[in-house]
Amino acid sequence: MMAGDSSESVHPFIPSDLILPDYVPIILSQSTILSVYGCASLLVVSFVWILAGRFPKISKLDKTLMCWWVFTGLTHMILEGYFVFTPEFFKQTNPTYLAEVWKEYSKGDSRYAGRDSAVVAIEGITAVLEGPACILAAYAIATRKSYSHILQISIALGQLYGTAVYFITSYLEGDNFAASPLYYYSYYIFANSFWVWIPSLIVIRSWKKICAAVGSTQEQKKTKRR
């Protein structure tokens, strides 16, 4: 082996010729990474559910939405924010848990390890703008703010747009970034599907709520004119 090749470590990602100088293999097992993420998510959701119960007249659906907004907001800010602002996470000799998460996820989409510009742009906007907005949406639901549904629609549409661009750019580039069908369907398809159907349901619900409120206001104006 030539000395100049020593920095080009072998990695588990596709394409195999993806250049990742000084790549450090994953230390944590897949089960450990997923278990920690699952437990952390459960703790967040449980805390928000209990906290939401302290606000008056909060329905179970609104409590569920609060849990979703806080969960997805923290995911955007912490997990995706780490990816955006730590470009060489795969080189860490003493990797953090978040670095391990992204190396594991890159088995389903190697564009993360390869720092694909489209992915970085999508995740950057999501982490910086949508993340804090999600937390604000949970607050708006709890305190029954008038802008709650407008904000929820705006964020949900942003998530749908970002997810669409994420999938479309992968398709246009050949859609060959997963190490195996298992990683493709479990990480790339299944894990991201939550940011398709949940925002879609939120858009439909909030749209109906806004239309109902506008319709009620118009009816009141008509009644006053009579």
Side-chain angles (χ1 to χ4, degrees), residues 1-7:
M1 179 181 294
M2 295 178 64
D5 295 333
S6 61
S7 63

Side-chain angles (χ1 to χ4, degrees), residues 136-202:
L136 180 59
Y139 167 78
I141 293 173
T143 54
R144 308 177 73 84
K145 296 295 185 182
S146 59
Y147 58 79
S148 174
H149 289 292
I150 295 176
L151 178 61
Q152 289 183 71
I153 280 184
S154 300
I155 303 170
L157 287 175
Q159 291 178 325
L160 288 171
Y161 176 78
T163 306
V165 172
Y166 175 67
F167 283 126
I168 291 171
T169 52
S170 176
Y171 174 77
L172 293 176
E173 293 173 9
D175 196 21
N176 184 32
F177 302 101
S180 72
L182 173 63
Y183 291 116
Y184 179 83
Y185 288 105
S186 59
Y187 290 175
Y188 180 70
I189 299 296
F190 178 73
N192 287 292
S193 68
F194 291 96
W195 279 270
V196 175
W197 63 270
I198 294 180
S200 296
L201 292 175
I202 290 173

Side-chain angles (χ1 to χ4, degrees), residues 16-220:
S16 57
D17 59 356
L18 177 66
I19 299 175
L20 296 176
D22 302 318
Y23 171 76
V24 176
I26 300 175
I27 297 175
L28 298 178
S29 66
Q30 180 188 51
S31 59
T32 298
I33 292 172
L34 297 180
S35 296
V36 171
Y37 182 74
C39 289
S41 300
L42 182 60
L43 286 174
V44 169
V45 170
S46 299
F47 174 76
V48 175
W49 183 271
I50 294 172
L51 181 64
R54 295 179 175 273
F55 291 89
K57 299 180 180 180
I58 295 291
S59 67
K60 288 184 178 180
L61 179 55
D62 281 335
K63 289 171 69 175
T64 301
L65 285 172
M66 286 179 64
C67 290
W68 163 253
W69 285 125
V70 173
F71 163 76
T72 189
L74 293 179
T75 298
H76 292 331
M77 290 188 292
I78 298 174
L79 193 60
E80 295 167 33
Y82 178 87
F83 163 74
V84 172
F85 297 107
T86 313
E88 297 185 343
F89 64 87
F90 60 86
K91 293 183 178 181
Q92 295 179 3
T93 53
N94 293 305
T96 62
Y97 168 74
L98 294 178
E100 295 288 272
V101 169
W102 285 115
K103 283 189 285 187
E104 177 64 27
Y105 181 78
S106 292
K107 294 178 183 177
D109 187 350
S110 64
R111 292 182 298 169
Y112 281 82
R115 303 294 293 180
D116 180 85
S117 58
V119 170
V120 174
I122 293 168
E123 296 291 16
I125 294 172
T126 301
V128 175
L129 298 180
E130 291 184 6
C134 289
I135 304 302
L136 180 59
Y139 167 78
I141 293 173
T143 54
R144 308 177 73 84
K145 296 295 185 182
S146 59
Y147 58 79
S148 174
H149 289 292
I150 295 176
L151 178 61
Q152 289 183 71
I153 280 184
S154 300
I155 303 170
L157 287 175
Q159 291 178 325
L160 288 171
Y161 176 78
T163 306
V165 172
Y166 175 67
F167 283 126
I168 291 171
T169 52
S170 176
Y171 174 77
L172 293 176
E173 293 173 9
D175 196 21
N176 184 32
F177 302 101
S180 72
L182 173 63
Y183 291 116
Y184 179 83
Y185 288 105
S186 59
Y187 290 175
Y188 180 70
I189 299 296
F190 178 73
N192 287 292
S193 68
F194 291 96
W195 279 270
V196 175
W197 63 270
I198 294 180
S200 296
L201 292 175
I202 290 173
V203 168
I204 294 171
R205 177 178 183 266
S206 291
W207 177 262
K208 290 181 177 179
K209 290 286 186 179
I210 292 173
C211 289
V214 172
S216 177
T217 301
Q218 291 177 340
E219 286 297 323
Q220 290 176 2

